[in-house]
Amino acid sequence: MTAPQRILTVFGTRPEAIKLFPLIHVLEADARFDSRVCVSAQHRGMLDQVLEISGVVPHHDLDLMTPDQTLDALTARLLTGLGAVMDEERPDWVVVQGDTATAMAGAMAAYYRKIRVAHVEAGLRSGNIYHPWPEEVNRKVIGAIAALHCAPTETAAEALRRENVAPSTVHVTGNTVIDALHWITGRIAREPNLAGGLANLEARFAGKRIIGVTSHRRENFGGGMEAIAQAVRTLAARPDAAVIFPVHLNPNVRQVMNEALGGLENVALIEPLDYPHFARLLDMSTLMLTDSGGVQEEAPALGKPVLVMRETTERPEGVIAGTARLVGTDAERIVAEATRLLDDPDAYSAMARAHNPFGDGRSAGRIAELLAAA
């Protein structure tokens, strides 16, 4: 009998955990694999929330988060810490996701040991190494190393082929974030209390259309954040609308938003939400304003238009399909585009009903089959 392949899945942030727990579930249930999990805890609290709700128990927890650490210091600690875990585990594959420092360092540590790397959500490209920063370079580094590229869409797969990645290693699997969203919405349907913490806000804003907002990108710090805050303030002045804004812990976000939006009747500045409550926010919102990557994928799965407050996106499929629109950080444009969706039913319907290009909820199974066949 052939020994099971040992798969070491490495991640450190909440978005990575969300996109990898469906794959971990599949690997753990399949006798062809010996699944091992290592977390860096690049985002400690938000990561732990997803681990708890998904039932994933790491075999290794590096707990590397320290206040105000520089990217180079974090990368150095990741590289040596993850390398030590790989020396202990001796996996057949290292699985990384996306474009974080943890993913990049995990791929590098595996490369130094000649361990094959599988990259989940491979091939995203904005074409600008400073937008998003440092994620664009992180994912290009992983793309140069990986032996298996699990592209979420054909657009992402084609980006890899243009970089001369061997076509035989590139596979369109869909995005596991849709698997995760289906899983969590199913849980909430069975256990409503999992996302019951927004009930007071639902009651407070009853009869109003909810605008969900998330913002945290480094390239928007400073003037960009101030413009986003100004736009949200203007939209919140509408009598028929209300804003729910889980505010990122970074002081570059918190200070700006608290000063500009604190105390407004139609704005709820709340703490970052755990995964069930964020899924509930998506579901109850009329539209989303975001500079996040993941929201561009998740909101369309629930029929919610997304206005992307960035100059570029590595997820052009949503823009092409019509589920998302790039609006940058100009306050007037953000307000104009949101107003159009709120006031023009046809414009809203065109975005809400557009086909979601990011997956069908069966991506994790496809990735597991690729690992088994490799």
Side-chain angles (χ1 to χ4, degrees):
M1 181 177 177
T2 304
Q5 290 199 77
R6 174 162 286 195
I7 312 294
L8 178 64
T9 304
V10 171
F11 57 97
T13 67
R14 167 186 157 136
E16 289 170 290
I18 290 171
K19 294 182 178 184
L20 285 173
F21 82 71
L23 177 59
I24 293 168
H25 286 175
V26 170
L27 295 175
E28 289 178 341
D30 193 324
R32 293 175 296 178
F33 303 107
D34 174 14
S35 176
R36 310 290 289 177
V37 174
C38 174
V39 298
S40 69
Q42 186 178 334
H43 292 171
R44 178 78 271 171
M46 293 186 287
L47 169 70
D48 289 345
Q49 293 171 357
V50 181
L51 294 176
E52 181 177 0
I53 191 67
S54 66
V56 172
V57 179
H59 302 88
H60 303 271
D61 189 333
L62 301 181
D63 198 21
L64 291 181
M65 186 175 181
T66 60
D68 299 318
Q69 60 189 335
T70 62
L71 286 172
D72 47 5
L74 171 62
T75 301
R77 298 177 70 207
L78 285 165
L79 199 56
T80 55
L82 293 172
V85 171
M86 291 175 200
D87 289 339
E88 178 181 341
E89 291 287 355
R90 299 186 178 277
D92 298 293
W93 284 92
V94 168
V95 174
V96 298
Q97 189 281 327
D99 49 27
T100 67
T102 295
M104 187 271 289
M108 288 292 294
Y111 168 69
Y112 289 155
R113 289 156 179 81
K114 298 185 179 179
I115 300 169
R116 292 178 294 177
V117 173
H119 188 195
V120 176
E121 199 181 53
L124 276 63
R125 297 290 186 270
S126 72
N128 184 331
I129 65 170
Y130 295 108
H131 293 274
W133 173 84
E135 288 82 0
E136 179 76 358
V137 164
N138 286 346
R139 56 193 173 220
K140 287 173 72 71
V141 169
I142 301 167
I145 291 170
L148 176 61
H149 305 263
C150 301
T153 64
E154 179 56 37
T155 299
E158 182 56 30
L160 290 165
R161 297 185 196 110
R162 287 198 303 269
E163 294 176 1
N164 295 319
V165 172
S168 62
T169 67
V170 178
H171 303 269
V172 178
T173 61
N175 198 311
T176 53
V177 76
I178 307 303
D179 301 37
L181 190 61
H182 288 179
W183 185 89
I184 195 62
T185 53
R187 279 283 303 272
I188 293 170
R190 297 189 301 274
E191 305 170 54
N193 287 341
L194 282 177
L198 294 177
N200 289 340
L201 289 179
E202 292 188 69
R204 172 182 165 185
F205 296 141
K208 296 181 183 291
R209 289 179 288 178
I210 303 299
I211 302 171
V213 182
T214 70
S215 185
H216 69 276
R217 301 244 35 109
R218 286 187 180 92
E219 58 266 31
N220 284 343
F221 289 173
M225 284 292 163
E226 292 168 2
I228 289 169
Q230 179 185 339
V232 171
R233 187 180 182 92
T234 301
L235 291 168
R238 293 177 58 114
D240 64 338
V243 173
I244 299 179
F245 190 161
V247 184
H248 198 275
L249 297 175
N250 192 301
N252 292 293
V253 180
R254 291 216 149 190
Q255 182 175 345
V256 172
M257 298 307 168
N258 286 337
E259 289 180 0
L261 305 173
L264 294 183
E265 180 180 353
N266 278 358
V267 177
L269 298 178
I270 61 177
E271 293 300 306
L273 297 172
D274 64 16
Y275 187 42
H277 285 92
F278 189 74
R280 177 65 189 137
L281 174 60
L282 288 176
D283 196 33
M284 63 192 278
S285 294
T286 298
L287 63 95
M288 292 296 299
L289 305 180
T290 188
D291 60 14
S292 165
V295 176
Q296 297 174 53
E297 302 154 346
E298 293 167 307
L302 298 177
K304 310 298 179 175
V306 183
L307 298 181
V308 184
M309 299 181 295
R310 288 164 57 175
E311 301 302 326
T312 61
T313 180
E314 63 277 38
R315 294 166 174 85
E317 299 91 340
V319 176
I320 294 168
T323 63
R325 180 168 289 118
L326 279 172
V327 297
T329 56
D330 179 79
E332 290 186 2
R333 184 174 181 199
I334 294 169
V335 171
E337 294 286 357
T339 299
R340 187 173 69 91
L341 290 173
L342 292 169
D343 291 346
D344 184 342
D346 291 336
Y348 184 87
S349 180
M351 289 189 74
R353 295 179 181 176
H355 168 70
N356 180 14
F358 295 110
D360 58 6
R362 297 192 292 271
S363 301
R366 295 189 186 100
I367 295 169
E369 291 303 319
L370 291 169
L371 288 167

